[in-house]
Amino acid sequence: DRDVTGVQTCALPIWLFMISAGDFRNGVIFVMDDQIYQVVEFQHVKPGKGSAFVRTTYKNLRTGSVVQKSFNPSEKFEQAQLNRRDMSYLYADGELYYFMDTESYEQMPISKEMLGDKLDFLKEGMVCRVVFWGSEILDIEPPTFVELEVTDCEPAVRGDTATTATKNATVETGATIKVPLFINQGDIIRIDTRTGEYMERA
């Protein structure tokens, strides 16, 4: 780039931070109408007549709503840059859950509404990855696998080690999950937080 005097400048061109619909790929995050979206699925369509377009399914990262829309491949959008910080869950105070940045020790409240069903597996001291867009929190990513104690369930069935039959068990966070019949109160079990499913006895 050169300024009006012809001297070369080092300013970054705006297109470095823009993306066209023709470059959409799964996982791309873009800004449109002051909302932030992530591409879930895309398809380049070239009809026999008329102009090509990009059929796109995208998710609002604030609300979770999913929309399908077609774009002209040349339409341009700001490409959003997210950043993730490891934060340790400290304690709850009413509807707010306090997390601490593991590097800066800064404490930050996150609402119960934002956490949603992730509360099912949230335990004090657990380190989660908090997703930011600027200073705005968009999501909380708990560890993929957590180990929690079973606080309540029907007694184990002696000698039954089959994993096909299940029963309900309550873990220390208050969540209820399906577990094999041989699991007993006091057992520590490993859970996949993405699905809420029992994996194994720890």
Side-chain angles (χ1 to χ4, degrees):
D1 288 349
R2 295 179 183 273
D3 63 14
V4 291
T5 64
V7 176
Q8 190 166 357
T9 66
C10 60
L12 291 173
I14 189 67
W15 53 261
L16 282 181
F17 305 100
M18 304 296 287
I19 188 170
S20 67
D23 292 324
F24 278 175
R25 298 292 182 270
N26 292 352
V28 163
I29 298 168
F30 65 100
V31 180
M32 181 175 65
D33 300 328
D34 294 324
Q35 292 292 323
I36 183 166
Y37 299 99
Q38 184 169 31
V39 176
V40 176
E41 192 174 345
F42 72 98
Q43 181 182 10
H44 292 274
V45 180
K46 296 181 179 179
K49 294 183 179 180
S51 303
F53 61 91
V54 184
R55 183 181 293 122
T56 310
T57 302
Y58 53 93
K59 179 174 73 171
N60 188 314
L61 293 183
R62 284 184 175 136
T63 66
S65 62
V66 177
V67 179
Q68 188 176 82
K69 183 179 177 180
S70 295
F71 296 100
N72 184 309
S74 63
E75 285 187 71
K76 292 189 180 298
F77 304 93
E78 177 188 345
Q79 185 166 8
Q81 301 297 320
L82 304 186
N83 106 72
R84 289 169 167 79
R85 290 160 58 184
D86 286 340
M87 303 191 76
S88 177
Y89 169 54
L90 299 178
Y91 64 92
D93 183 7
E95 297 288 297
L96 295 176
Y97 291 75
Y98 284 81
F99 289 75
M100 181 181 71
D101 189 301
T102 57
E103 291 188 0
S104 68
Y105 303 109
E106 173 191 3
Q107 292 188 23
M108 183 174 299
I110 298 178
S111 70
K112 183 177 183 179
E113 181 182 13
M114 167 67 71
L115 288 165
D117 58 10
K118 296 178 179 68
L119 283 172
D120 287 346
F121 309 112
L122 191 62
K123 180 181 176 181
E124 287 184 8
M126 182 177 290
V127 175
C128 300
R129 189 153 285 184
V130 182
V131 182
F132 290 86
W133 179 39
S135 60
E136 180 182 351
I137 296 173
L138 291 178
D139 196 15
I140 295 89
E141 301 170 349
T144 304
F145 302 103
V146 296
E147 294 183 0
L148 298 173
E149 181 181 352
V150 175
T151 56
D152 185 52
C153 72
E154 299 169 15
V157 178
R158 186 179 297 276
D160 192 336
T161 57
T163 56
T164 51
T166 61
K167 61 184 179 182
N168 288 330
T170 303
V171 294
E172 59 186 291
T173 57
T176 300
I177 69 167
K178 297 285 187 184
V179 298
L181 298 181
F182 60 82
I183 294 298
N184 223 333
Q185 184 174 329
D187 285 347
I188 306 295
I189 60 173
R190 185 171 287 113
I191 301 167
D192 187 331
T193 60
R194 297 167 297 183
T195 61
E197 293 179 351
Y198 164 90
M199 299 299 294
E200 61 185 350
R201 184 162 52 188

